[in-house]
Amino acid sequence: EPADEEVAELLGPASRALAATGMRVHWPRELAAGTLTARAVIGPPDERDDGAKGASGRRDVSQAPSFLSADALLAFDWSFALGDRTLSRDELDRLAEAGRPLVRLRDQWVLIDPEEVRRARGTRDREVTPIDALSAVLTGTTEVDGRRVDVAATGWLERLRARIADPEAHQESAVAQPPALAASLRDYQLRGLDWLHSMTSLGLGGCLADDMGLGKTVTLIALHLHRQGVEEAAGPTLVVGPTSLMGNWQREIEKFAPGTPVRRFHGASRSLEGVQDGEFVLTTYGTMRLDAARLAGTSWGLVVADEAQHVKNPHSATARQLRTIGGRARVALTGTPVENNLSELWAILDWTTPGLLGRLGTFRTRYASAVEGGNDPAAAERLSALVRPFLLRRRKSDPGIAPELPPKTETDRAVSLTPEQTGLYEAVVRETLAEISGADGFARRGLVMKLLTALKQICNHPAQYLKEERPRIADRSGKVELLDELLDTILAEGASVLVFTQYVRMARLLEQHLAARGVRTQFLHGGTPVAGREAMVNSFQAGEAPVFLLSLKAAGTGLNLTRAGHVVHFDRWWNPAVEAQATDRAYRIGQTQPVQVHRLIAEGTVEDRIAGMLARKQGLADAVLGAGESALTELTDAELADLVELRGGTR
């Protein structure tokens, strides 16, 4: 007769080892040999049994603990079964205390692995944080000691699970557009606002991952205004993003939320003194990394990471410092698809909702390897159930979105000059205005044209103005930084883009810069022979080179480039008719997709002032519109100084 230890060995490790060699262990039929199965129910203790209650007496979802705090612990309520029989707590205790493989239970001998019983009893009173509980009930399972266990929710946790897993079906009332917003949100933007409000009001955060051009910025500005309207002391909003987008944020806030205080926390004189509720504070990833301690000292209502793919490496200094800045809720914005790269997805969602996806190592083994290997469909389903509520991704091509988009959108994108550009710009203005004041007639007109050309070139890139032979291109121009930012998103979307400039030298600099970044380009200019033009057009239309650099004059007519979903005017041709003609290379008959036009404008410079005039189409603009830049040579010295003087817009 075998000893207890031998029976236990045969029930556990030995039977597994024998099974691996193709041998099976058979037990006498009269012994109810059973596997112990566990199932967990989780929810607030006072609501465990409220399933049959009516709506009265139930706590609302809004009373759920903040999910960014780990203070409120929830207990699993376990139920165990042996075969098809549910065990009471007492029976589980008796089995565990017997410590033997053969036990008498309910007038029957049962055969059970004592190790399994001990393990079950040990996990019985485990407590978890709300975020761990939410993660378990969204996927319907949890792992305990390497084993998968089914989990169900009760009480407000179940209502919360239902609400975020299927927001459409559990929408109490959709959020209306905030009265203070100076824009009309499209339907899908209102749905995005509703989703963001729902998540941030619970402290859960989320990632808005809509395609570029769908209006993530205006949706976020609407969220800020909505929070001010519905929450007492909603607090200020901190936006962290790339340097090249700071000007854009400020202008969009001034345009869509007029009167909302906005400041830049950037540059030598940056300050957080007197930050008030309802204020926007804009900073860059670089400044945030240097000054995280000061930023962390402010009580933020909302912290936003724009172009959140910049923190996709969780081990980078930028990502680590961003984690130190607390807020009542966090929102990530990105137009770059992240749903297919699981480690990047982990990095972004673990920032918006810390702890949701567990530790990176565990996440990789539990999901990434299983999903990326494609051999565990159930793992992919569980991951989707866990991630879907926290990631809102809409594409321009989605059936519900496409009809809402205008065929062409035009955006002026403001960038600040680098310190090098600022120094050059101010020196050229100072020296040339002094020369102009002593000149007249033909000589004066020539000097004015020379000044305007020099300033446009400095706004583009110092190397263009300085005519450098072997220039370093990166980190010297706000426009090049912004172009890189735009191209990263455009190329990640699989889209194509036309980039127009007036200057062959600037196009050559971009060609060199993009080649160094591994981006395929081609360049068409006035000297390109006819056969070469045709070959380039065919290559672009076939999607072989997604970035097409064009000199504005050469590309003005006779080209059909409907492959392009984006057009970038790197510098402005101060005659809108010429610019529109270039844009229409992409936006014309045969075009089946919406076209986005991006005009790059250096903040605070002559470009900015001319752009303002063109937008207003008044006064001086009429002369400019008709006659181009030559009209500007007739300005008085005072008018010219006012036009070219640098105002703000520097770093």
Side-chain angles (χ1 to χ4, degrees), residues 142-164:
T142 189
E143 252 178 47
V144 179
D145 301 330
R147 295 181 178 214
R148 185 154 300 289
V149 175
D150 288 341
V151 180
T154 62
W156 59 251
L157 185 62
E158 167 52 24
R159 293 193 291 285
L160 174 64
R161 185 205 64 74
R163 174 169 153 184
I164 68 171

Side-chain angles (χ1 to χ4, degrees), residues 51 146 238 290 405 562 570 596 638 644:
L238 174 68
L290 296 172
L405 296 178
T562 51
F570 194 82
Q596 290 175 61
V644 298

Side-chain angles (χ1 to χ4, degrees), residues 188-209:
Y188 70 84
Q189 291 169 333
L190 274 170
R191 291 194 299 274
L193 169 62
D194 197 72
W195 176 79
L196 282 170
H197 165 68
S198 186
M199 300 305 275
T200 54
S201 64
L202 291 162
L204 280 168
C207 175
L208 182 60

Side-chain angles (χ1 to χ4, degrees), residues 55-132:
S56 61
R58 288 188 165 200
R59 288 204 299 170
D60 184 64
V61 170
S62 60
Q63 292 174 277
S66 166
F67 283 83
L68 293 180
S69 93
D71 303 339
L73 290 175
L74 301 175
F76 278 116
D77 198 6
W78 293 94
S79 65
F80 297 93
L82 197 57
D84 53 5
R85 290 185 299 181
T86 304
L87 300 180
S88 67
R89 267 183 103 89
D90 288 349
E91 286 172 329
L92 185 67
D93 287 343
R94 275 183 22 234
L95 289 176
E97 279 153 17
R100 300 181 54 196
L102 201 55
V103 186
R104 187 92 174 152
L105 185 70
R106 301 190 196 166
D107 300 328
Q108 190 177 8
W109 288 100
V110 292
L111 199 55
I112 189 162
D113 181 355
E115 188 48 43
E116 252 186 43
V117 179
R118 267 198 301 278
R119 195 184 292 117
R121 194 188 191 196
T123 58
R124 187 169 60 190
D125 298 317
R126 218 170 64 130
E127 287 188 316
V128 288
T129 62
I131 198 66
D132 282 340

Side-chain angles (χ1 to χ4, degrees), residues 271-541:
S271 158
L272 289 170
E273 207 166 305
V275 170
Q276 53 187 313
D277 267 14
E279 184 169 355
F280 266 105
V281 176
L282 312 175
T283 192
T284 69
Y285 284 113
T287 302
M288 178 278 299
R289 200 167 56 239
L290 296 172
D291 232 345
R294 272 170 79 192
L295 289 164
T298 298
S299 181
W300 303 105
L302 189 62
V303 181
V304 179
D306 189 25
E307 299 297 340
Q309 67 275 13
H310 283 265
V311 287
K312 66 187 179 188
N313 173 2
H315 306 298
S316 67
T318 307
R320 286 205 309 272
Q321 293 294 351
L322 186 61
R323 284 168 185 271
T324 65
I325 300 169
R328 267 183 257 166
R330 292 169 169 176
V331 170
L333 303 176
T334 177
T336 306
V338 288
E339 69 266 51
N340 299 324
N341 183 321
L342 296 183
S343 293
E344 289 179 16
L345 183 63
W346 181 91
I348 291 173
L349 292 187
D350 192 64
W351 174 71
T352 60
T353 315
L356 173 74
L357 302 178
R359 297 169 67 92
L360 180 56
T362 320
F363 175 76
R364 276 208 185 108
T365 52
R366 188 177 297 175
Y367 293 115
S369 49
V371 173
E372 285 162 1
N375 48 13
D376 184 355
E381 253 322 298
R382 284 196 300 276
L383 177 65
S384 179
L386 181 55
V387 164
R388 200 185 302 114
F390 299 89
L391 179 74
L392 186 61
R393 168 124 181 86
R394 277 90 58 95
R395 294 170 182 78
K396 287 192 279 274
S397 55
D398 289 351
I401 306 289
E404 291 194 50
L405 296 178
K408 180 167 69 173
T409 353
E410 304 194 34
T411 314
D412 286 353
R413 293 185 169 271
V415 294
S416 49
L417 298 179
T418 62
E420 181 187 8
Q421 286 175 299
T422 302
L424 282 171
Y425 189 100
E426 289 180 325
V428 167
V429 165
R430 195 169 52 246
E431 291 160 20
T432 317
L433 285 179
E435 269 186 88
I436 287 169
S437 68
D440 52 24
F442 192 71
R444 185 182 183 278
R445 280 198 288 275
L447 282 171
V448 172
M449 291 305 286
K450 183 182 158 202
L451 170 65
L452 295 174
T453 302
L455 296 183
K456 284 166 90 169
Q457 293 182 352
I458 291 165
C459 289
N460 275 357
H461 197 290
Q464 184 194 349
Y465 170 71
L466 298 168
K467 301 181 173 54
E468 294 171 358
E469 283 300 312
R470 288 194 183 79
R472 179 176 62 80
I473 302 172
D475 306 321
R476 296 174 66 191
S477 155
K479 285 192 183 183
V480 172
E481 276 178 41
L482 178 59
L483 182 67
D484 282 345
E485 206 61 57
L486 291 171
L487 289 184
D488 282 348
T489 304
I490 290 168
L491 298 179
E493 279 180 13
S496 298
V497 59
L498 308 179
V499 181
F500 287 105
T501 171
Q502 295 161 55
Y503 304 103
V504 170
R505 177 182 286 271
M506 190 62 230
R508 292 273 180 229
L509 289 172
L510 291 175
E511 193 175 32
Q512 187 185 327
H513 173 66
L514 295 173
R517 295 186 76 220
V519 175
R520 287 197 60 187
T521 65
Q522 48 186 17
F523 173 34
L524 187 150
H525 52 88
T528 309
V530 174
R533 286 166 72 100
E534 282 179 16
M536 282 185 184
V537 169
N538 293 340
S539 165
F540 180 77
Q541 289 292 81

Side-chain angles (χ1 to χ4, degrees), residues 4 7 99 127 162 438 539 584 612 624:
D4 279 352
V7 174
E127 287 188 316
S539 165
D584 286 345
V624 179

